[in-house]
Structure formats: C-alpha cells, structure tokens
Amino acid sequence: PESCTVMGIKQMIRNRWHVAEAYLLLSIGHKLLDNDAATLADCKVEDKAVIYITEYTSLPERLDDELCSITQTEHRGISLRQMRSIIKFVRPHLDVRSETLGWFDTYSEAHSRLRLEAINLYQLNEWIIKPATRPHCCSFVEFTCADAEAQIPAWFISHF
C-alpha cells in the first residue's frame, strides 16, 4: 500500500528472511529508497513497481554489534582483500550480460544498468559503500575489517 514506509518494508523483509534492517537497501529503478520514514507515495512508487533488495550481510567479516572502530583516519588502510570483497559482492548481482540487477548509473541521463567491466568507485560508493556503512556510522574499512591493527597501512597512494 502507498502508506507503507520504507522501514515498514524492511521490517517485513526482516520478519520473513531474518535480515536486519541496517543491512538492507531498497531501490526502484535508479532511485534509492534510503529515507526509512518515507512512504511509497512519497517516493512516487507506481503500482506493481519492482522493488530491488540489496542486502549487505556478506560484506563485513563478522556480523556482530562490534564493528571495528578506527578513530585515526590515517590508520584506515584498505587491503587488497577488502577491495576484492567489493567485486565478490557485486558478482551475484549480475545477469548473464554482466549487468547489475537493481543498480543503475545515476550520473547519466540514460540511467542504464551498471556493467561489471565499466563500474567505477562513484557508482560503488552510491550503491554499496554508502548504503552499507551509513546505518553503522562507519567507514568501509571499519565495516569490513576484523582487526583494527591490521588496517594500519604501510604505504599511502593518492591521485589528483
């Protein structure tokens, strides 16, 4: 129903499939339903629209209340394993043409589905990193690490 909220839908998913709301992103086409208080009417969801569900429980190394906390940003070095975990996470969300199911390019007017070989960090940030980490108020490194000490980097590489 139109009066149903985004959080209400997440709670239905939690009750049925036992996935915590904090690990869910709902989207319709290129629109992220990231305001939990919004109703389907607020989000301009049409009847019989397909709502895509992305759940992030496979990203963190552990699913407990104690995510790593790394207060010094310079100690939040990302490992190759953590970078690969993003691609590993993307793969089950692809169709036979290597296009994503439910994630779209919001930076172009065409809003085409994302393709694995062309996906970039801006798109990963919008569809994976920010939605997964926002409910926990943490960085992606903190979200995916098991040991804060292991994240202290040996090198710093930047671009401009």
Side-chain angles (χ1 to χ4, degrees):
E2 287 186 350
S3 61
C4 189
T5 63
V6 171
M7 180 52 80
I9 295 170
K10 287 181 177 182
Q11 289 170 341
M12 284 188 265
I13 293 167
R14 180 202 62 211
N15 293 339
R16 184 168 186 134
W17 290 294
H18 309 288
V19 177
E21 295 91 333
Y23 292 96
L24 294 172
L25 169 68
L26 305 179
S27 61
I28 296 175
H30 67 279
K31 293 190 292 187
L32 286 80
L33 304 180
D34 54 1
N35 177 354
D36 286 342
T39 65
L40 294 181
D42 295 337
C43 299
K44 298 179 176 44
V45 174
E46 298 173 12
D47 282 345
K48 301 188 185 198
V50 175
I51 297 178
Y52 291 96
I53 303 168
T54 304
E55 60 93 8
Y56 300 100
T57 56
S58 64
L59 271 175
E61 288 204 8
R62 58 185 205 217
L63 285 175
D64 56 24
D65 294 331
E66 296 294 323
L67 292 174
C68 283
S69 177
I70 306 171
T71 55
Q72 295 177 278
T73 16
E74 66 271 19
H75 290 174
R76 293 181 192 162
I78 191 165
S79 69
L80 183 57
R81 181 186 43 72
Q82 287 167 309
M83 288 191 276
R84 286 182 174 148
S85 75
I86 297 173
I87 299 302
K88 183 179 176 184
F89 179 79
V90 170
R91 289 196 188 282
H93 297 273
L94 300 174
D95 67 9
V96 294
R97 294 184 308 258
S98 291
E99 291 181 346
T100 57
L101 302 168
W103 303 337
F104 297 82
D105 186 356
T106 59
Y107 294 95
S108 74
E109 288 186 34
H111 299 299
S112 55
R113 293 193 310 168
L114 303 178
R115 295 187 57 79
L116 181 62
E117 62 273 357
I119 201 164
N120 63 47
L121 188 56
Y122 294 107
Q123 296 158 335
L124 292 171
N125 192 47
E126 182 168 12
W127 290 100
I128 300 172
I129 298 169
K130 284 169 89 176
T133 60
R134 185 180 297 122
H136 307 283
C137 298
C138 66
S139 70
F140 182 75
V141 168
E142 292 170 307
F143 187 70
T144 57
C145 84
D147 175 21
E149 292 294 315
Q151 298 303 138
I152 298 174
W155 304 287
F156 174 78
I157 301 170
S158 183
H159 73 286
F160 55 94

